[in-house]
Amino acid sequence: MLLAAFCLITQAQGTLQTYGCGTLYSFGNPFNIYPEGFVRHNGQKLLVDGKTCISVGKGLSQVTVTLSDQDGSSSVETVQIVCTEPGGMSGGRPAAVLCIGESTSGTVNPNPRTGSYRSGWNWVSMMKALSEEHGTDIVCLGTDTLAEAPLEACYTAHGGWSSYTYLNCPCAAKIDPGAPKHFFNSETMWYALGLRGLT
């Protein structure tokens, strides 16, 4: 099972453009890679190594996959794998995990068969539930969780009120070079907050 992914926008080889998955994190178990995680454009129907998913076994630090679409275009992606087994946790202390990206959609889906949130409601909480099953104590960092759920699995919201967002509020994302010009940019916000000369 795919636990968490940090995805980077990449220009794929050839004519097929995808989101190239940079790193996958595992706790030592075999897991699946699904092509949906690489979809970049609306309407893309991708296969990974000619299949709807592939299984990755234990002990690998990377795997190379071929993505192909319905038009026959293809690209090759190398996925890095970072594995930390439950017994490898330092001194029994909890691992602090910052999950970025779920606030984009604010996904909340109970188990479709039981209606329960016990096994999670998005990929962040599913990771938390799986970690508990394996005896690993993790703390999901962030600004939001599902109040009625039996798990506490926070995920970022509105940039997690990071410096990026804070310095661009109320005109968010002005650091983005693709954002429209606006008089109230990050530099103006920096001075308005009295941060001149501060680190």
Side-chain angles (χ1 to χ4, degrees):
M1 169 174 251
L2 174 61
L3 294 181
F6 176 72
C7 291
L8 304 171
I9 298 176
T10 62
Q11 176 72 41
Q13 298 173 359
T15 58
L16 182 59
Q17 294 182 356
T18 64
Y19 277 108
C21 190
T23 305
L24 298 181
Y25 299 89
S26 168
F27 51 81
N29 60 308
F31 59 90
N32 293 334
I33 295 179
Y34 297 91
E36 288 83 357
F38 297 91
V39 170
R40 182 171 180 177
H41 298 293
N42 187 28
Q44 273 186 324
K45 298 174 184 175
L46 301 180
L47 295 175
V48 57
D49 289 346
K51 303 174 184 175
T52 56
C53 76
I54 62 166
S55 182
V56 177
K58 297 181 180 181
L60 296 177
S61 60
Q62 67 180 30
V63 62
T64 300
V65 298
T66 300
L67 301 167
S68 57
D69 68 5
Q70 64 270 31
D71 298 323
S73 298
S74 65
S75 67
V76 176
E77 295 285 348
T78 298
V79 181
Q80 305 300 319
I81 301 169
V82 174
C83 174
T84 302
E85 296 196 20
M89 297 290 289
S90 178
R93 292 178 298 178
V97 180
L98 177 61
C99 299
I100 299 172
E102 191 56 39
S103 61
T104 301
S105 60
T107 301
V108 176
N109 292 310
N111 183 314
R113 294 182 180 86
T114 65
S116 170
Y117 295 105
R118 178 64 216 155
S119 59
W121 61 92
N122 58 19
W123 65 266
V124 176
S125 52
M126 289 173 68
M127 177 188 64
K128 170 78 172 180
L130 286 168
S131 296
E132 286 185 353
E133 287 179 15
H134 288 82
T136 305
D137 185 13
I138 67 167
V139 177
C140 295
L141 306 175
T143 60
D144 202 5
T145 188
L146 188 63
E148 65 268 26
L151 291 170
E152 182 175 354
C154 294
Y155 52 94
T156 58
H158 196 57
W161 290 107
S162 62
S163 298
Y164 176 97
T165 303
Y166 187 55
L167 292 173
N168 286 284
C169 182
C171 308
K174 290 299 170 284
I175 294 174
D176 180 350
K181 298 293 184 186
H182 196 284
F183 77 95
F184 202 70
N185 57 26
S186 55
E187 184 179 2
T188 308
M189 186 58 145
W190 181 266
Y191 287 108
L193 291 170
L195 296 175
R196 180 178 180 180
L198 301 178
T199 301

